[in-house]
Amino acid sequence: MKTEWRIFLIIAAFLLFATALYGGWTWADSGGHVEWIGTVALLLSFLLCSMCGGFFWFVSRRIDLRPEDRPDGEIADGAGEIGFFSPGSYWPFGLALAAAVAGLGLVFWQFWLLGVGAVAIIFAACGLLFEYYTGTRRTAEH
């Protein structure tokens, strides 16, 4: 986590510098008026990177150093089971299709299509989330 928070905070510092530079440049170029859309977008990007970097810094203080954070860490130190990854699932395709339907509803400003897409997004997200929690559960009584 040490590497992650450093990267995010370096990017955040750059974005803060770019925000000040952009705001000053547009103020000087347009005769005393700041171009607010770009300035606010850069400022919000700075805040988002700061939030992510702060979270990683907060977490890194509470966990032990990972092998990639230690200078003497070896590749073999990170070996082992990482987690379970689904070998094949159709839910991501359904989620993308639902997002496309909702996007078409936004593009053509059709609220009924947007509603259908939003319901389909919720359904597909729940299907993706609970993909491996389906079926009957056997108890000790059976």
Side-chain angles (χ1 to χ4, degrees):
M1 293 288 183
K2 186 185 254 187
T3 306
E4 288 90 346
W5 73 261
R6 285 183 179 165
I7 289 173
F8 272 103
L9 291 182
I10 287 170
I11 294 172
F14 168 75
L15 286 170
L16 184 62
F17 172 73
T19 302
L21 181 68
Y22 184 80
W25 198 320
T26 58
W27 180 77
D29 192 40
S30 65
H33 294 86
V34 176
E35 198 279 315
W36 288 107
I37 302 298
T39 306
V40 170
L42 285 168
L43 182 65
L44 290 176
S45 299
F46 157 73
L47 291 173
L48 180 64
C49 283
S50 298
M51 183 178 65
C52 293
F55 171 76
F56 285 133
W57 174 74
F58 184 75
V59 170
S60 72
R61 290 181 29 209
R62 283 161 173 69
I63 63 173
D64 293 333
L65 286 177
R66 299 176 303 167
E68 53 265 21
D69 292 332
R70 294 192 328 247
D72 63 336
E74 297 288 331
I75 293 175
D77 294 339
E81 185 175 331
I82 295 173
F84 174 75
F85 300 99
S86 179
S89 174
Y90 294 109
W91 286 111
F93 176 74
L95 190 60
L97 188 64
V101 169
L104 283 174
L106 277 174
V107 166
F108 293 114
W109 208 242
Q110 298 293 317
F111 293 112
W112 66 272
L113 191 59
L114 181 61
V116 168
V119 169
I121 286 173
I122 292 170
F123 179 74
C126 289
L128 185 63
L129 180 66
F130 296 115
E131 182 174 15
Y132 292 102
Y133 293 103
T134 59
T136 60
R137 181 178 285 210
R138 297 195 179 255
T139 61
E141 298 169 2
H142 290 125

